[in-house]
Amino acid sequence: MTTTTTETTSPAPTPSNTLTPRQHWHRIRPWCFSALFIVATLLVGAAITASTVSRSGHLLNPQSPAPNGAKALAEALQDHGVHLTQRDSLDDVLADIEANPNRTVLLHDRAALLDSDRIEQLLDAGANRVVAINPVGDRFEPITEYAWYSGSIAPEGDTLENDPYAAEHDYPAGEQCPLASKAPALGPGHASVFTVGENDPDAVGCYETGSGSLIVVAQHKTTELIMVGAYEQFTNDRIAVESNAAAAINILGANEELIWYVPGAPDVQVAATPTFDDYVPKWITPVMLLACCSALALMFWRGRRLGPLVAERLPVTVPASETVEGRARLYAKNRSQLHALDAIRIGTLGRLAGLLGLERNASAAVIADAVTRVAQVPRDHAYRVLVHAEPTSDAELVDLANACAEIERRTRTALGYTETGRRIQTPDDPTAETPTFAVRDADPGDNQL
């Protein structure tokens, strides 16, 4: 009694689906970096916003604690019994003056919203005192008869666009200055210099420099006019230097009512609402019309009428050899040697299954084991050729294709079949004239690239 042993292959271990810490980190790393980038962006934006709010702001803003604000001056004036009212409309200021002329009006037109007519209207309103902060520009023409702008100065080591004079020391008030007794000197800082005019003998310059005065006191009709070029000396950063605070309080605290007037949106002179034609150049319309006419003419000149569709009988028959060659060219172009070898393996395994009497859907491992037993092919060689090998070059692909053909040839020889699928008749087997197994002829395209 002959005992047949069958080799069985142990199944491959099932890979674990649990992610390792390294794999988990690689998976969440893009999200972590994105979250860190968003948080860093928000923190930087918040820091910039806080820095902007704390260190910047409008110059001489009475509510700003920033270095260029004037909150310290506003609180000092309130401590001296001065009631401060902020206004951003000339109409409101004129109404306040009409109700009580005994007021001091501080004019700081930092956005240049007022014209010369409206500035003259403010001067003629009849307020007790008008203080103009840095009145530089053509719009201040109503006060140029008292003094005019003649240059700028800056602290030592700093520069301005127009800086003919260097501020290296404090500025004395001068003997004729009405502020000299309480504020004998001003500290250094950015300032505008004014030259007192000769047409008004009552105009007095205070805090002299080498070429003019930082503050000019004049009389406009019934209103006392004070031109302040030393605007930086009144900021929070410099109000405590020398007699800056005393000068500011004496200038702005002469009356119990102070109007801090900074022209705003209500003072903007709005012209007629512009139309679409105001934004479009005059030449754009004829150019667009000419371009449209040129495009239409080009379409009629170069246009071609489509002819009738080509009639074709369907379905179209494509020879198998053309399909095989076309697919092989695609594999060769993309250097997909493994796909080409898989096509060869599928054909070889199908024919081997028919030769060995196995089902057509038998696995490659089962067919390889059967070939090992029948054709005496080494098991490792059969598995490598029919299952595992992956070619990396055209030469390896050709070798594996030839190996598949050799395995099939040995199997046919071992089973006694010819190339046509018929068994060879032997004296020991007289009934072998007809095929024992239904084996189809080899398809010449199965092993082609």
Side-chain angles (χ1 to χ4, degrees):
M1 180 176 179
T2 303
T3 304
T4 304
T5 59
T6 304
E7 287 189 24
T8 58
T9 57
S10 59
T14 304
S16 176
N17 294 328
T18 304
L19 298 178
T20 63
R22 184 181 182 86
Q23 293 173 336
H24 187 68
W25 163 245
H26 281 292
R27 175 172 293 184
I28 66 174
R29 182 171 57 181
W31 298 101
C32 293
F33 287 158
S34 300
L36 288 176
F37 177 76
I38 293 174
V39 171
T41 303
L42 293 177
L43 291 177
V44 171
I48 293 175
T49 302
S51 176
T52 303
V53 171
S54 61
R55 298 187 180 182
S56 65
H58 296 302
L59 178 66
L60 293 178
N61 184 349
Q63 296 181 346
S64 174
N68 63 345
K71 187 175 182 179
L73 174 58
E75 292 180 352
L77 290 171
Q78 292 175 359
D79 293 340
H80 283 75
V82 178
H83 180 263
L84 188 150
T85 304
Q86 289 186 257
R87 297 295 187 192
D88 61 354
S89 171
L90 179 60
D91 295 336
D92 295 340
V93 174
L94 296 178
D96 293 339
I97 295 174
E98 185 178 359
N100 181 13
N102 191 24
R103 298 173 184 265
T104 299
V105 179
L106 181 146
L107 171 62
H108 187 198
D109 189 12
R110 60 193 178 207
L113 299 180
L114 300 181
D115 55 16
S116 59
D117 294 337
R118 296 176 69 81
I119 292 177
E120 186 174 5
Q121 184 179 1
L122 174 62
L123 296 177
D124 295 339
N128 181 265
R129 176 180 289 184
V130 174
V131 180
I133 302 295
N134 196 28
V136 177
D138 295 338
R139 65 186 185 281
F140 289 99
E141 184 180 358
I143 62 177
T144 55
E145 58 179 299
Y146 307 108
W148 58 84
Y149 173 75
S150 59
S152 300
I153 59 175
E156 184 178 4
D158 202 353
T159 58
L160 293 176
E161 293 182 0
N162 182 17
D163 188 11
Y165 319 107
E168 301 178 357
H169 49 75
D170 300 335
Y171 305 103
E175 298 179 357
Q176 298 181 353
C177 179
L179 305 174
S181 59
K182 296 182 179 180
L186 286 182
H190 292 79
S192 298
V193 179
F194 297 95
T195 300
V196 179
E198 299 178 356
N199 298 331
D200 185 6
D202 297 330
V204 179
C206 299
Y207 306 104
E208 300 293 332
T209 66
S211 63
S213 305
L214 300 184
I215 295 178
V216 177
V217 180
Q219 187 71 27
H220 178 81
K221 299 181 181 179
T222 60
T223 299
E224 185 181 13
L225 174 63
I226 301 179
M227 304 168 60
V228 178
Y231 54 90
E232 192 175 26
Q233 280 78 352
F234 293 172
T235 60
N236 297 328
D237 191 34
R238 295 180 180 269
I239 191 66
V241 178
E242 289 295 334
S243 302
N244 294 348
I249 293 174
N250 279 274
I251 292 173
L252 300 176
N255 299 288
E256 295 181 358
E257 296 290 335
L258 170 62
I259 300 177
W260 200 295
Y261 172 43
V262 179
D267 290 327
V268 177
Q269 300 295 320
V270 181
T273 304
T275 61
F276 179 75
D277 294 336
D278 296 331
Y279 297 104
V280 179
K282 300 300 181 182
W283 52 266
I284 196 68
T285 301
V287 169
M288 292 180 63
L289 292 176
L290 180 60
C292 292
C293 294
S294 300
L296 291 175
L298 183 63
M299 292 169 60
F300 280 107
W301 174 44
R302 301 297 296 175
R304 293 293 185 268
R305 179 178 175 272
L306 295 176
L309 298 177
V310 178
E312 183 177 3
R313 294 182 179 181
L314 296 177
V316 178
T317 303
V318 180
S321 60
E322 294 185 7
T323 303
V324 174
E325 292 177 2
R327 186 172 297 178
R329 290 192 186 97
L330 290 176
Y331 290 157
K333 182 178 180 180
N334 295 325
R335 303 186 62 85
S336 300
Q337 290 89 356
L338 181 59
H339 285 82
L341 180 61
D342 287 341
I344 296 175
R345 283 171 172 169
I346 290 172
T348 302
L349 291 172
R351 291 189 294 274
L352 289 175
L355 290 171
L356 298 170
L358 301 175
E359 297 180 355
R360 297 287 294 180
N361 59 353
S363 64
V366 173
I367 297 174
D369 291 337
V371 168
T372 301
R373 294 192 303 270
V374 172
Q376 302 301 318
V377 177
R379 184 173 181 276
D380 294 338
H381 177 70
Y383 265 82
R384 187 182 72 84
V385 174
L386 297 177
V387 182
H388 299 304
E390 295 184 3
T392 59
S393 63
D394 293 342
E396 293 182 8
L397 173 62
V398 172
D399 293 340
L400 290 172
N402 291 333
C404 289
E406 179 63 20
I407 290 175
E408 184 179 354
R409 187 189 64 78
R410 289 190 180 188
T411 304
R412 287 178 181 276
T413 303
L415 293 174
Y417 282 89
T418 63
E419 293 297 328
T420 60
R422 296 182 177 275
R423 290 189 61 179
I424 303 174
Q425 185 176 2
T426 62
D428 297 336
D429 189 9
T431 63
E433 296 180 357
T434 57
T436 304
F437 303 100
V439 180
R440 65 182 178 87
D441 292 339
D443 189 351
D446 287 339
N447 291 333
Q448 297 183 17
L449 293 182

